[in-house]
């Protein structure tokens, strides 16, 4: 990701988010490269989800959340395709740990997220971004299904809802998550998008 361009895009994000119009904030700014925009936002959403989940680590334990679920119908198993090729059942905190480590490795890989001026994005860049967003959605789904009451008691629901709304609008704008993947929170997603 080009550092100067990335800084300018970050300023645009901050300025438009401050306006309160999230639909406007997620749109590709005129004349900007879509991959740059996706890269800057991927880093932002990764950081947001990491911080949100971090507030729940004392409640989301292997004992309380022995599997990574989003309600009774949805269970997520972990595989990274490299060290863990066949999906395995893990606790929610282990899944999130694996996920955050995996995303960080993608973000740090300059062949996927280039840092040098003029370095090209790989042909599969948008596929990698889609996988990151699909998996970040699972963390939101787990939080809403398993820890929403705790979020309310911590008085964090407004922040969670704003972050999720921003996430949904961004993923919808760029078609980053298949509709079927959104099923665990479909009613909430639908109310955000007002489909």
């Amino acid at each position: 990701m080009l550092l100067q361009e990335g800084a300018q895009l970050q300023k645009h994000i901050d300025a438009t988010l401050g306006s309160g119009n999230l639909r406007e904030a997620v749109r590709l700014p005129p004349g900007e490269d879509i991959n740059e925009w996706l890269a800057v936002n991927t880093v932002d959403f990764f950081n947001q989800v990491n911080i949100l989940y971090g507030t729940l680590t004392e409640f989301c334990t292997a004992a309380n959340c022995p599997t990574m679920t989003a309600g009774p119908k949805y269970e997520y198993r972990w595989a990274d395709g490299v060290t863990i090729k066949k999906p395995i059942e893990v606790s929610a905190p282990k899944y999130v740990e694996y996920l955050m480590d995996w995303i960080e490795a993608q973000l740090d890989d300059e062949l996927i997220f280039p840092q040098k001026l003029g370095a090209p994005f790989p042909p599969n860049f948008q596929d990698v971004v889609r996988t990151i967003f699909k998996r970040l959605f699972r963390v939101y789904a787990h939080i809403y299904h398993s820890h929403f009451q705790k979020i309310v008691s911590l008085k964090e629901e407004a922040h969670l809802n704003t972050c999720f709304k921003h996430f949904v609008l961004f993923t919808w704008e760029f078609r980053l998550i298949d509709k079927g993947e959104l099923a665990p929170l479909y009613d909430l997603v639908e109310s955000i998008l007002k489909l």
Side-chain angles (χ1 to χ4, degrees):
M1 180 172 35
L2 312 175
L3 293 178
Q4 276 183 314
E5 242 185 81
Q8 287 174 322
L9 289 175
Q10 188 61 53
K11 282 182 189 166
H12 175 81
I13 292 168
D14 294 342
T16 53
L17 274 178
S19 73
N21 185 345
L22 290 175
R23 284 186 194 277
E24 191 57 41
V26 300
R27 289 199 182 101
L28 179 68
E32 291 299 338
D33 178 74
I34 187 162
N35 288 335
E36 280 292 333
W37 187 241
L38 290 173
V40 167
N41 280 280
T42 300
V43 171
D44 265 6
F45 285 113
F46 164 72
N47 289 330
Q48 270 182 20
V49 173
N50 219 347
I51 290 166
L52 276 168
Y53 181 77
T55 66
L56 295 170
T57 52
E58 68 183 274
F59 313 107
C60 186
T61 63
N64 293 338
C65 301
T67 54
M68 179 64 173
T69 60
K73 291 185 190 170
Y74 302 96
E75 181 181 313
Y76 303 114
R77 293 170 184 244
W78 180 256
D80 61 13
V82 181
T83 55
I84 302 173
K85 293 184 195 287
K86 186 177 180 219
I88 57 171
E89 184 178 310
V90 293
S91 68
K94 193 67 178 167
Y95 183 98
V96 175
E97 178 188 328
Y98 280 144
L99 173 60
M100 295 306 169
D101 289 349
W102 178 81
I103 293 174
E104 201 161 349
Q106 307 309 300
L107 298 177
D108 290 344
D109 185 340
E110 292 203 24
L111 296 175
I112 300 171
F113 282 81
Q115 299 293 318
K116 292 186 177 60
L117 194 62
F121 285 89
N124 70 330
F125 177 70
Q126 292 186 16
D127 292 332
V128 172
V129 168
R130 279 186 192 90
T131 301
I132 290 171
F133 276 88
K134 174 179 77 176
R135 290 176 172 178
L136 285 175
F137 171 82
R138 294 171 178 179
V139 179
Y140 275 116
H142 178 72
I143 290 171
Y144 274 105
H145 278 279
S146 300
H147 302 293
F148 191 70
Q149 289 313 313
K150 184 49 71 177
I151 290 284
V152 170
S153 74
L154 294 170
K155 300 193 180 341
E156 292 180 7
E157 71 270 24
H159 181 64
L160 172 66
N161 291 338
T162 301
C163 290
F164 186 62
K165 180 177 183 179
H166 185 202
F167 180 88
V168 166
L169 291 171
F170 187 82
T171 58
W172 192 258
E173 177 78 11
F174 297 100
R175 304 294 184 252
L176 298 174
I177 302 177
D178 292 335
K179 203 172 178 181
E181 286 285 335
L182 301 171
L185 295 177
Y186 193 73
D187 290 345
L188 183 56
V189 170
E190 206 172 34
S191 74
I192 290 168
L193 298 172
K194 299 203 179 16
L195 294 175

